[in-house]
mmCIF file of all heavy atoms in Angstrom:
data_model
loop_
_atom_site.group_PDB
_atom_site.id
_atom_site.type_symbol
_atom_site.label_atom_id
_atom_site.label_comp_id
_atom_site.label_asym_id
_atom_site.label_seq_id
_atom_site.Cartn_x
_atom_site.Cartn_y
_atom_site.Cartn_z
ATOM 1 N N LEU J 24 101.632 117.426 104.673
ATOM 2 C CA LEU J 24 100.550 116.452 104.765
ATOM 3 C C LEU J 24 100.715 115.625 106.033
ATOM 4 O O LEU J 24 101.816 115.128 106.315
ATOM 5 C CB LEU J 24 100.555 115.513 103.555
ATOM 6 C CG LEU J 24 100.413 116.141 102.173
ATOM 7 C CD1 LEU J 24 100.476 115.062 101.101
ATOM 8 C CD2 LEU J 24 99.129 116.931 102.063
ATOM 9 N N PRO J 25 99.669 115.466 106.825
ATOM 10 C CA PRO J 25 99.759 114.569 107.988
ATOM 11 C C PRO J 25 100.096 113.151 107.528
ATOM 12 O O PRO J 25 99.653 112.706 106.464
ATOM 13 C CB PRO J 25 98.370 114.641 108.616
ATOM 14 C CG PRO J 25 97.750 115.884 108.058
ATOM 15 C CD PRO J 25 98.345 116.087 106.707
ATOM 16 N N VAL J 26 100.856 112.443 108.326
ATOM 17 C CA VAL J 26 101.293 111.085 107.990
ATOM 18 C C VAL J 26 100.562 110.080 108.877
ATOM 19 O O VAL J 26 100.500 110.241 110.095
ATOM 20 C CB VAL J 26 102.818 110.934 108.157
ATOM 21 C CG1 VAL J 26 103.238 109.474 107.982
ATOM 22 C CG2 VAL J 26 103.549 111.817 107.153
ATOM 23 N N VAL J 27 99.995 109.074 108.232
ATOM 24 C CA VAL J 27 99.351 107.959 108.940
ATOM 25 C C VAL J 27 100.034 106.681 108.490
ATOM 26 O O VAL J 27 100.025 106.352 107.300
ATOM 27 C CB VAL J 27 97.841 107.890 108.648
ATOM 28 C CG1 VAL J 27 97.222 106.670 109.328
ATOM 29 C CG2 VAL J 27 97.142 109.163 109.093
ATOM 30 N N ARG J 28 100.646 105.980 109.424
ATOM 31 C CA ARG J 28 101.265 104.698 109.109
ATOM 32 C C ARG J 28 100.207 103.616 109.242
ATOM 33 O O ARG J 28 99.606 103.450 110.302
ATOM 34 C CB ARG J 28 102.457 104.429 110.028
ATOM 35 C CG ARG J 28 103.592 105.439 109.831
ATOM 36 C CD ARG J 28 104.813 105.085 110.668
ATOM 37 N NE ARG J 28 105.885 106.034 110.478
ATOM 38 C CZ ARG J 28 106.805 105.960 109.512
ATOM 39 N NH1 ARG J 28 106.771 104.940 108.662
ATOM 40 N NH2 ARG J 28 107.748 106.872 109.407
ATOM 41 N N LEU J 29 99.976 102.885 108.148
ATOM 42 C CA LEU J 29 98.867 101.945 108.099
ATOM 43 C C LEU J 29 99.007 100.840 109.143
ATOM 44 O O LEU J 29 98.008 100.435 109.757
ATOM 45 C CB LEU J 29 98.762 101.338 106.702
ATOM 46 C CG LEU J 29 97.565 100.417 106.458
ATOM 47 C CD1 LEU J 29 96.258 101.156 106.718
ATOM 48 C CD2 LEU J 29 97.588 99.863 105.044
ATOM 49 N N GLY J 30 100.228 100.349 109.363
ATOM 50 C CA GLY J 30 100.429 99.264 110.320
ATOM 51 C C GLY J 30 99.942 99.614 111.718
ATOM 52 O O GLY J 30 99.064 98.946 112.284
ATOM 53 N N PRO J 31 100.468 100.677 112.339
ATOM 54 C CA PRO J 31 99.985 101.055 113.675
ATOM 55 C C PRO J 31 98.509 101.440 113.685
ATOM 56 O O PRO J 31 97.805 101.176 114.663
ATOM 57 C CB PRO J 31 100.881 102.246 114.033
ATOM 58 C CG PRO J 31 102.116 102.069 113.206
ATOM 59 C CD PRO J 31 101.654 101.457 111.937
ATOM 60 N N ALA J 32 98.017 102.076 112.607
ATOM 61 C CA ALA J 32 96.614 102.487 112.579
ATOM 62 C C ALA J 32 95.673 101.287 112.639
ATOM 63 O O ALA J 32 94.585 101.375 113.212
ATOM 64 C CB ALA J 32 96.327 103.315 111.328
ATOM 65 N N LEU J 33 96.091 100.161 112.066
ATOM 66 C CA LEU J 33 95.262 98.959 112.066
ATOM 67 C C LEU J 33 95.616 98.005 113.194
ATOM 68 O O LEU J 33 95.053 96.910 113.275
ATOM 69 C CB LEU J 33 95.391 98.232 110.724
ATOM 70 C CG LEU J 33 94.988 99.003 109.474
ATOM 71 C CD1 LEU J 33 95.130 98.138 108.232
ATOM 72 C CD2 LEU J 33 93.564 99.533 109.593
ATOM 73 N N GLY J 34 96.565 98.422 114.057
ATOM 74 C CA GLY J 34 96.961 97.558 115.166
ATOM 75 C C GLY J 34 97.882 96.431 114.754
ATOM 76 O O GLY J 34 97.993 95.424 115.470
ATOM 77 N N LEU J 35 98.564 96.586 113.616
ATOM 78 C CA LEU J 35 99.467 95.543 113.135
ATOM 79 C C LEU J 35 100.911 95.788 113.529
ATOM 80 O O LEU J 35 101.769 94.962 113.233
ATOM 81 C CB LEU J 35 99.368 95.438 111.596
ATOM 82 C CG LEU J 35 97.980 95.161 111.025
ATOM 83 C CD1 LEU J 35 98.034 95.157 109.501
ATOM 84 C CD2 LEU J 35 97.461 93.832 111.539
ATOM 85 N N GLY J 36 101.177 96.916 114.177
ATOM 86 C CA GLY J 36 102.539 97.239 114.552
ATOM 87 C C GLY J 36 103.284 97.936 113.434
ATOM 88 O O GLY J 36 102.920 97.830 112.257
ATOM 89 N N ASP J 37 104.340 98.667 113.798
ATOM 90 C CA ASP J 37 105.113 99.405 112.808
ATOM 91 C C ASP J 37 106.187 98.502 112.223
ATOM 92 O O ASP J 37 106.614 97.523 112.843
ATOM 93 C CB ASP J 37 105.745 100.644 113.443
ATOM 94 C CG ASP J 37 106.052 101.708 112.405
ATOM 95 O OD1 ASP J 37 105.922 101.416 111.204
ATOM 96 O OD2 ASP J 37 106.416 102.838 112.801
ATOM 97 N N ALA J 38 106.624 98.829 111.023
ATOM 98 C CA ALA J 38 107.670 98.056 110.361
ATOM 99 C C ALA J 38 109.010 98.365 111.021
ATOM 100 O O ALA J 38 109.258 99.501 111.456
ATOM 101 C CB ALA J 38 107.714 98.387 108.871
ATOM 102 N N PRO J 39 109.897 97.381 111.118
ATOM 103 C CA PRO J 39 111.223 97.654 111.691
ATOM 104 C C PRO J 39 112.003 98.623 110.815
ATOM 105 O O PRO J 39 111.894 98.608 109.580
ATOM 106 C CB PRO J 39 111.877 96.265 111.722
ATOM 107 C CG PRO J 39 111.144 95.462 110.685
ATOM 108 C CD PRO J 39 109.740 95.992 110.690
ATOM 109 N N ASP J 40 112.762 99.485 111.458
ATOM 110 C CA ASP J 40 113.570 100.458 110.715
ATOM 111 C C ASP J 40 114.613 99.732 109.875
ATOM 112 O O ASP J 40 115.292 98.817 110.333
ATOM 113 C CB ASP J 40 114.253 101.432 111.669
ATOM 114 C CG ASP J 40 113.249 102.327 112.384
ATOM 115 O OD1 ASP J 40 112.155 102.543 111.822
ATOM 116 O OD2 ASP J 40 113.547 102.780 113.500
ATOM 117 N N SER J 41 114.688 100.117 108.636
ATOM 118 C CA SER J 41 115.665 99.517 107.734
ATOM 119 C C SER J 41 116.089 100.554 106.711
ATOM 120 O O SER J 41 115.255 101.279 106.175
ATOM 121 C CB SER J 41 115.074 98.282 107.029
ATOM 122 O OG SER J 41 115.985 97.784 106.077
ATOM 123 N N ALA J 42 117.388 100.616 106.474
ATOM 124 C CA ALA J 42 117.914 101.574 105.505
ATOM 125 C C ALA J 42 117.879 101.026 104.090
ATOM 126 O O ALA J 42 118.281 101.707 103.150
ATOM 127 C CB ALA J 42 119.349 101.953 105.874
ATOM 128 N N ASP J 43 117.386 99.785 103.937
ATOM 129 C CA ASP J 43 117.397 99.157 102.615
ATOM 130 C C ASP J 43 116.043 99.198 101.926
ATOM 131 O O ASP J 43 115.926 98.743 100.785
ATOM 132 C CB ASP J 43 117.842 97.692 102.732
ATOM 133 C CG ASP J 43 119.239 97.559 103.336
ATOM 134 O OD1 ASP J 43 120.050 98.468 103.096
ATOM 135 O OD2 ASP J 43 119.486 96.558 104.034
ATOM 136 N N HIS J 44 115.019 99.693 102.609
ATOM 137 C CA HIS J 44 113.677 99.667 102.036
ATOM 138 C C HIS J 44 113.223 101.089 101.697
ATOM 139 O O HIS J 44 113.428 102.017 102.491
ATOM 140 C CB HIS J 44 112.683 99.034 103.005
ATOM 141 C CG HIS J 44 112.936 97.576 103.233
ATOM 142 N ND1 HIS J 44 113.773 97.126 104.216
ATOM 143 C CD2 HIS J 44 112.454 96.483 102.593
ATOM 144 C CE1 HIS J 44 113.812 95.807 104.184
ATOM 145 N NE2 HIS J 44 113.020 95.387 103.211
ATOM 146 N N PRO J 45 112.607 101.271 100.539
ATOM 147 C CA PRO J 45 112.069 102.599 100.201
ATOM 148 C C PRO J 45 110.825 102.895 101.027
ATOM 149 O O PRO J 45 110.250 102.009 101.669
ATOM 150 C CB PRO J 45 111.741 102.471 98.711
ATOM 151 C CG PRO J 45 111.457 101.013 98.520
ATOM 152 C CD PRO J 45 112.363 100.282 99.473
ATOM 153 N N LEU J 46 110.407 104.137 100.973
ATOM 154 C CA LEU J 46 109.206 104.575 101.682
ATOM 155 C C LEU J 46 108.085 104.731 100.653
ATOM 156 O O LEU J 46 108.199 105.516 99.718
ATOM 157 C CB LEU J 46 109.462 105.899 102.400
ATOM 158 C CG LEU J 46 108.352 106.408 103.332
ATOM 159 C CD1 LEU J 46 108.171 105.470 104.511
ATOM 160 C CD2 LEU J 46 108.688 107.819 103.827
ATOM 161 N N ASN J 47 107.019 103.953 100.819
ATOM 162 C CA ASN J 47 105.877 103.999 99.895
ATOM 163 C C ASN J 47 104.747 104.780 100.531
ATOM 164 O O ASN J 47 104.263 104.420 101.607
ATOM 165 C CB ASN J 47 105.407 102.579 99.558
ATOM 166 C CG ASN J 47 106.462 101.788 98.816
ATOM 167 O OD1 ASN J 47 106.877 102.165 97.721
ATOM 168 N ND2 ASN J 47 106.930 100.698 99.415
ATOM 169 N N ILE J 48 104.330 105.841 99.856
ATOM 170 C CA ILE J 48 103.297 106.727 100.382
ATOM 171 C C ILE J 48 102.150 106.795 99.374
ATOM 172 O O ILE J 48 102.369 106.996 98.172
ATOM 173 C CB ILE J 48 103.843 108.149 100.655
ATOM 174 C CG1 ILE J 48 104.887 108.112 101.772
ATOM 175 C CG2 ILE J 48 102.723 109.107 101.014
ATOM 176 C CD1 ILE J 48 105.514 109.465 102.059
ATOM 177 N N VAL J 49 100.940 106.599 99.890
ATOM 178 C CA VAL J 49 99.729 106.793 99.085
ATOM 179 C C VAL J 49 99.057 108.064 99.584
ATOM 180 O O VAL J 49 98.611 108.122 100.737
ATOM 181 C CB VAL J 49 98.771 105.593 99.212
ATOM 182 C CG1 VAL J 49 97.550 105.808 98.330
ATOM 183 C CG2 VAL J 49 99.477 104.298 98.839
ATOM 184 N N VAL J 50 99.023 109.087 98.751
ATOM 185 C CA VAL J 50 98.363 110.332 99.125
ATOM 186 C C VAL J 50 96.869 110.172 98.859
ATOM 187 O O VAL J 50 96.458 109.940 97.713
ATOM 188 C CB VAL J 50 98.934 111.527 98.339
ATOM 189 C CG1 VAL J 50 98.248 112.821 98.770
ATOM 190 C CG2 VAL J 50 100.442 111.630 98.566
ATOM 191 N N VAL J 51 96.084 110.274 99.916
ATOM 192 C CA VAL J 51 94.643 110.051 99.805
ATOM 193 C C VAL J 51 93.892 111.282 100.275
ATOM 194 O O VAL J 51 94.436 112.156 100.961
ATOM 195 C CB VAL J 51 94.204 108.810 100.616
ATOM 196 C CG1 VAL J 51 94.760 107.541 100.013
ATOM 197 C CG2 VAL J 51 94.640 108.934 102.068
ATOM 198 N N ARG J 52 92.603 111.329 99.898
ATOM 199 C CA ARG J 52 91.752 112.462 100.236
ATOM 200 C C ARG J 52 90.569 111.960 101.041
ATOM 201 O O ARG J 52 89.926 110.966 100.679
ATOM 202 C CB ARG J 52 91.261 113.163 98.972
ATOM 203 C CG ARG J 52 90.366 114.377 99.241
ATOM 204 C CD ARG J 52 89.740 114.903 97.965
ATOM 205 N NE ARG J 52 90.739 115.372 97.011
ATOM 206 C CZ ARG J 52 91.028 114.753 95.886
ATOM 207 N NH1 ARG J 52 90.404 113.618 95.576
ATOM 208 N NH2 ARG J 52 91.933 115.226 95.060
ATOM 209 N N ALA J 53 90.255 112.668 102.134
ATOM 210 C CA ALA J 53 89.109 112.312 102.975
ATOM 211 C C ALA J 53 88.449 113.577 103.464
ATOM 212 O O ALA J 53 89.086 114.383 104.160
ATOM 213 C CB ALA J 53 89.543 111.452 104.160
ATOM 214 N N ASP J 54 87.155 113.768 103.111
ATOM 215 C CA ASP J 54 86.390 114.930 103.557
ATOM 216 C C ASP J 54 87.107 116.235 103.260
ATOM 217 O O ASP J 54 87.157 117.148 104.085
ATOM 218 C CB ASP J 54 86.090 114.830 105.055
ATOM 219 C CG ASP J 54 85.134 113.690 105.366
ATOM 220 O OD1 ASP J 54 84.464 113.227 104.429
ATOM 221 O OD2 ASP J 54 85.066 113.263 106.530
ATOM 222 N N GLY J 55 87.733 116.326 102.087
ATOM 223 C CA GLY J 55 88.410 117.547 101.681
ATOM 224 C C GLY J 55 89.821 117.685 102.194
ATOM 225 O O GLY J 55 90.536 118.595 101.772
ATOM 226 N N ALA J 56 90.253 116.816 103.106
ATOM 227 C CA ALA J 56 91.607 116.871 103.654
ATOM 228 C C ALA J 56 92.462 115.777 103.022
ATOM 229 O O ALA J 56 91.993 114.662 102.809
ATOM 230 C CB ALA J 56 91.576 116.712 105.170
ATOM 231 N N ARG J 57 93.699 116.104 102.735
ATOM 232 C CA ARG J 57 94.624 115.128 102.173
ATOM 233 C C ARG J 57 95.624 114.706 103.238
ATOM 234 O O ARG J 57 96.044 115.508 104.082
ATOM 235 C CB ARG J 57 95.364 115.706 100.967
ATOM 236 C CG ARG J 57 94.451 116.068 99.804
ATOM 237 C CD ARG J 57 95.242 116.205 98.507
ATOM 238 N NE ARG J 57 96.315 117.188 98.608
ATOM 239 C CZ ARG J 57 97.239 117.380 97.666
ATOM 240 N NH1 ARG J 57 97.210 116.654 96.570
ATOM 241 N NH2 ARG J 57 98.173 118.291 97.835
ATOM 242 N N PHE J 58 96.018 113.437 103.206
ATOM 243 C CA PHE J 58 97.054 112.971 104.123
ATOM 244 C C PHE J 58 97.853 111.869 103.453
ATOM 245 O O PHE J 58 97.441 111.295 102.425
ATOM 246 C CB PHE J 58 96.474 112.516 105.463
ATOM 247 C CG PHE J 58 95.578 111.311 105.390
ATOM 248 C CD1 PHE J 58 96.067 110.029 105.627
ATOM 249 C CD2 PHE J 58 94.228 111.456 105.113
ATOM 250 C CE1 PHE J 58 95.236 108.928 105.567
ATOM 251 C CE2 PHE J 58 93.386 110.355 105.064
ATOM 252 C CZ PHE J 58 93.895 109.078 105.285
ATOM 253 N N ALA J 59 99.030 111.583 104.011
ATOM 254 C CA ALA J 59 99.947 110.600 103.454
ATOM 255 C C ALA J 59 99.806 109.292 104.215
ATOM 256 O O ALA J 59 100.019 109.241 105.423
ATOM 257 C CB ALA J 59 101.386 111.115 103.530
ATOM 258 N N LEU J 60 99.431 108.247 103.508
ATOM 259 C CA LEU J 60 99.262 106.925 104.097
ATOM 260 C C LEU J 60 100.489 106.094 103.747
ATOM 261 O O LEU J 60 100.752 105.814 102.575
ATOM 262 C CB LEU J 60 97.990 106.267 103.567
ATOM 263 C CG LEU J 60 97.598 104.917 104.169
ATOM 264 C CD1 LEU J 60 97.279 105.057 105.649
ATOM 265 C CD2 LEU J 60 96.404 104.332 103.421
ATOM 266 N N VAL J 61 101.257 105.705 104.762
ATOM 267 C CA VAL J 61 102.488 104.951 104.566
ATOM 268 C C VAL J 61 102.170 103.461 104.584
ATOM 269 O O VAL J 61 101.589 102.949 105.557
ATOM 270 C CB VAL J 61 103.527 105.292 105.643
ATOM 271 C CG1 VAL J 61 104.807 104.468 105.437
ATOM 272 C CG2 VAL J 61 103.857 106.777 105.608
ATOM 273 N N VAL J 62 102.524 102.750 103.522
ATOM 274 C CA VAL J 62 102.279 101.313 103.394
ATOM 275 C C VAL J 62 103.603 100.623 103.101
ATOM 276 O O VAL J 62 104.611 101.263 102.786
ATOM 277 C CB VAL J 62 101.248 101.020 102.286
ATOM 278 C CG1 VAL J 62 99.922 101.704 102.594
ATOM 279 C CG2 VAL J 62 101.775 101.469 100.928
ATOM 280 N N ASP J 63 103.602 99.301 103.219
ATOM 281 C CA ASP J 63 104.829 98.538 102.951
ATOM 282 C C ASP J 63 105.081 98.396 101.452
ATOM 283 O O ASP J 63 106.202 98.585 100.978
ATOM 284 C CB ASP J 63 104.732 97.148 103.591
ATOM 285 C CG ASP J 63 104.725 97.220 105.112
ATOM 286 O OD1 ASP J 63 104.976 98.316 105.650
ATOM 287 O OD2 ASP J 63 104.459 96.184 105.756
ATOM 288 N N GLU J 64 104.035 98.043 100.685
ATOM 289 C CA GLU J 64 104.188 97.843 99.248
ATOM 290 C C GLU J 64 102.949 98.362 98.531
ATOM 291 O O GLU J 64 101.864 98.400 99.110
ATOM 292 C CB GLU J 64 104.372 96.349 98.908
ATOM 293 C CG GLU J 64 105.581 95.709 99.548
ATOM 294 C CD GLU J 64 105.624 94.215 99.256
ATOM 295 O OE1 GLU J 64 105.113 93.802 98.190
ATOM 296 O OE2 GLU J 64 106.155 93.464 100.090
ATOM 297 N N VAL J 65 103.151 98.743 97.277
ATOM 298 C CA VAL J 65 102.052 99.163 96.417
ATOM 299 C C VAL J 65 102.006 98.227 95.222
ATOM 300 O O VAL J 65 103.015 98.047 94.524
ATOM 301 C CB VAL J 65 102.217 100.623 95.948
ATOM 302 C CG1 VAL J 65 101.094 100.997 94.989
ATOM 303 C CG2 VAL J 65 102.233 101.568 97.139
ATOM 304 N N HIS J 66 100.846 97.600 95.006
ATOM 305 C CA HIS J 66 100.675 96.680 93.884
ATOM 306 C C HIS J 66 99.846 97.358 92.789
ATOM 307 O O HIS J 66 99.626 98.563 92.806
ATOM 308 C CB HIS J 66 100.006 95.389 94.357
ATOM 309 C CG HIS J 66 100.831 94.640 95.361
ATOM 310 N ND1 HIS J 66 102.004 94.008 95.046
ATOM 311 C CD2 HIS J 66 100.649 94.433 96.698
ATOM 312 C CE1 HIS J 66 102.518 93.432 96.115
ATOM 313 N NE2 HIS J 66 101.709 93.680 97.151
ATOM 314 N N ASP J 67 99.353 96.555 91.877
ATOM 315 C CA ASP J 67 98.603 97.100 90.747
ATOM 316 C C ASP J 67 97.184 97.496 91.172
ATOM 317 O O ASP J 67 96.718 97.165 92.262
ATOM 318 C CB ASP J 67 98.521 96.067 89.621
ATOM 319 C CG ASP J 67 99.888 95.815 88.987
ATOM 320 O OD1 ASP J 67 100.733 96.728 89.072
ATOM 321 O OD2 ASP J 67 100.092 94.728 88.426
ATOM 322 N N SER J 68 96.498 98.171 90.255
ATOM 323 C CA SER J 68 95.082 98.489 90.442
ATOM 324 C C SER J 68 94.244 97.354 89.864
ATOM 325 O O SER J 68 94.605 96.763 88.843
ATOM 326 C CB SER J 68 94.719 99.803 89.749
ATOM 327 O OG SER J 68 95.437 100.874 90.337
ATOM 328 N N GLU J 69 93.138 97.057 90.505
ATOM 329 C CA GLU J 69 92.234 96.010 90.052
ATOM 330 C C GLU J 69 90.799 96.471 90.253
ATOM 331 O O GLU J 69 90.531 97.360 91.071
ATOM 332 C CB GLU J 69 92.454 94.702 90.833
ATOM 333 C CG GLU J 69 93.813 94.080 90.656
ATOM 334 C CD GLU J 69 93.934 92.751 91.386
ATOM 335 O OE1 GLU J 69 92.875 92.172 91.735
ATOM 336 O OE2 GLU J 69 95.069 92.300 91.615
ATOM 337 N N GLU J 70 89.905 95.875 89.506
ATOM 338 C CA GLU J 70 88.481 96.085 89.737
ATOM 339 C C GLU J 70 88.003 94.996 90.686
ATOM 340 O O GLU J 70 88.179 93.809 90.413
ATOM 341 C CB GLU J 70 87.698 96.042 88.427
ATOM 342 C CG GLU J 70 87.925 97.263 87.556
ATOM 343 C CD GLU J 70 86.921 97.361 86.426
ATOM 344 O OE1 GLU J 70 86.273 96.329 86.135
ATOM 345 O OE2 GLU J 70 86.784 98.453 85.852
ATOM 346 N N ILE J 71 87.409 95.407 91.789
ATOM 347 C CA ILE J 71 87.018 94.454 92.829
ATOM 348 C C ILE J 71 85.517 94.524 93.056
ATOM 349 O O ILE J 71 84.872 95.536 92.772
ATOM 350 C CB ILE J 71 87.757 94.747 94.159
ATOM 351 C CG1 ILE J 71 87.405 96.146 94.678
ATOM 352 C CG2 ILE J 71 89.263 94.600 93.982
ATOM 353 C CD1 ILE J 71 87.957 96.454 96.054
#
């Protein structure tokens, strides 16, 4: 799966490398293609 880091994609910069933090990936689908979106944290689902 192609990897997209959310921070650089939005112009927020990449997270500093750290061996103490897990890697959180949200696998998403767009126009039939799936890719891995790397985020800092994943919270609950809500109705917005």
Side-chain angles (χ1 to χ4, degrees):
L24 301 179
V26 173
V27 176
R28 296 185 180 273
L29 185 58
L33 300 182
L35 303 177
D37 204 352
D40 293 334
S41 175
D43 301 328
H44 293 89
L46 187 65
N47 296 299
I48 295 178
V49 182
V50 181
V51 293
R52 180 189 298 109
D54 293 342
R57 297 198 303 172
F58 65 95
L60 185 64
V61 179
V62 300
D63 293 350
E64 300 175 29
V65 177
H66 297 290
D67 292 335
S68 297
E69 297 183 18
E70 288 193 343
I71 61 173

